[in-house]
Each structure stands twice: as C-alpha cells, then as structure tokens.
Amino acid sequence: MIRKAVLPVAGFGTRCLPASKAIPKEMITIVDKPVIQYVVTEAVKAGIKEIVLVTHSSKSAIENHFDKHFELETQLEAKGKNELLEELRNIIPDDVNIISVRQPEALGLGHAILCARPVIGNDPFAVLLPDVVIDDDGMASNDLTGMIKAFDETGKAQIMVETVPKELTYKYGIVALEGAEPAAGKSAPLTGMVEKPKVEEAPSTLAVIGRYLLPGEIFPILAETPPGAGNEIQLTDAIETLRKNSGAAAYRMQGQTYDCGSQLGYLEATLALGRKHPTLGEGFRQLIQQYAAED
C-alpha cells in the first residue's frame, strides 16, 4: 500500500497575486479552511501516513498550520471553547506525520519531487498538486483511494485524469490511451501525453489534473532528465521515460475538481463547497439567492 505523499508547495503563486504576496497561496481560505488542508485531508482519507511538503523559506505558515499551537489551545481550553479546540487538534490525525524539505531553487516540478527523495527512498508514493481541490462528496471512497487500488493491482504508475470539453483541450495536458477511454473509477494504459495540443490534434478529452502515483524508480529517471520546457526539469518528461520503460496508466476520476491556482478557481470552490458546509451551508445558500435576485 502507498503510505507516502509529496506536496510541492514551494512556488510563489503568481496567478493568485496580490493575495499571495505575503501569505502562501496554499493558505488562502476556502470557506473556513486553507486550501492546503483540503488536499492533506484528501491524502489522509486515502490512507497516507507521511506527507512530505517540498517547500520554500517563505512558506513557514504552511508548516505552522499543521503544527501544534500550545498557547492557543491552552487559551481555548481555559475559555471553554471545546468544540473549536477539538477542530484544531483534529486538523491531522496523530498517526500522520508532516515532513518538510526545501527546494533550494525553482527548477521545475520534477526537481521539486526529486527533493523529496531522501524521505521517500525507493517506496512508491503519491504526488498531489495543491492547486487542485477535489470534492468527493457522496463517494464511498475518494479518487486517490481508487488510484492506489489500481496501482496495487497493476504495479503501474497512475495519472489521474478528468474529462474536459473537446474545445478546451488546448488548455491542458491530454493523455493518449491504448484502446477506449476507461469508465469513471477505472484506469487504462497510457501511450503518451501531449501538453496543450491543438484542439484538432488532441488524442482524447482526458486531461491530467495534478494527482500522480509513482514508483520509486522515478527518482533516478528524474535525476537524469535534462531541463525541458521553461528550462525546468519537467515531471511529464520523466513520466514519459517511465512509461516507455515499465508502463503507466490513466485513472479516470469520479469527483469534481476546482483549480485553486487562480482567483476564479477559488471563487468557484468557495461557492461549491460553501453551499454544502455542515454549519454555514444554509446561510450561504441564502446569501447566494439574495445576490442572484439582485442581478
């Protein structure tokens, strides 16, 4: 079973400026929690026990969020705010470890993952890009759990994909498949990936959305991968080498994604998740109706 995950959080989040100027983009709030907490919770639900943050000196707020805050907890306890105290204490379970490693310079996503090698070792692991929040409401188990099952059954690297409109394929990395597209919750062998193809040349309508399950053998491949687009070490280049060597598959997700690397993505996630919030949802839906009536 896969028990380790890498979260690359060292980027400056320029798409979210000016909000991300003084705080990490991963700490911008969706309803009542920072976006990074949603992503960590997704990993924990899938059985992940070690979460490796590949971070930067300006991102200490992320580490602090998952650390114990003794003074705050003592104050909440003294004031009898027990419900809030329990919520803080349960941000992550006691048996989950958060480990931080530094990416000394921005040399690409592939390089960021390579920085986690001393912690991951040769074990298979998940990669979750914190720009993407996945809503698994109503599902018996989340998509990451399904990916892990597919990895365990096949031993092949898994790339999570979602269906996008044909006319929007030019915006994404699109996978090429061996045979027909898999049903939601299933995976199919990859024959390649094309980054932002022309619409008429897109090999499918399945877009890569920022979740990967990779074997430990990706690390020596990354170490030998030369800089690609943007003069950075690209994860997709290393995955293509891995695919040629030992195969890889595309796992078609069932949940709903929100791109929180942009302002509109945050707004969409706030609308979608705020409506379903257990305590704020009813009031939030009333606000939506109120403002919709004014348009």
Side-chain angles (χ1 to χ4, degrees), residues 187-199:
S187 66
L190 275 177
T191 59
M193 290 186 285
V194 182
E195 188 63 31
K196 297 181 179 179
K198 294 179 180 179
V199 171

Side-chain angles (χ1 to χ4, degrees), residues 55-135:
T55 186
H56 179 269
S57 60
S58 65
K59 299 297 189 84
S60 59
I62 299 174
E63 298 164 275
N64 293 341
H65 179 71
F66 293 106
D67 198 3
K68 185 177 179 67
H69 195 319
F70 178 76
E71 295 83 0
L72 176 58
E73 291 182 12
T74 300
Q75 186 178 97
L76 291 173
E77 189 171 19
K79 293 182 177 180
K81 297 183 178 181
N82 297 320
E83 186 175 336
L84 190 54
L85 176 62
E86 284 305 303
E87 188 173 355
L88 285 185
R89 287 177 172 171
N90 292 322
I91 287 176
I92 56 167
D94 292 337
D95 62 346
V96 174
N97 294 317
I98 303 286
I99 302 162
S100 295
V101 298
R102 290 281 181 90
Q103 184 182 18
E105 53 184 323
L107 297 178
L109 176 57
H111 177 261
I113 293 168
L114 190 57
C115 290
R117 187 178 190 178
V119 180
I120 300 296
N122 295 319
D123 295 333
F125 62 102
V127 175
L128 291 81
L129 303 191
D131 285 349
V132 179
V133 167
I134 298 179
D135 182 8

Side-chain angles (χ1 to χ4, degrees), residues 11-12 19 34-35 48 71 110 114 133 137 180 196 229 242 250 255 286:
F12 289 120
V35 63
I48 300 296
E71 295 83 0
L114 190 57
V133 167
D137 186 45
K196 297 181 179 179
L242 178 70
Q286 290 174 1

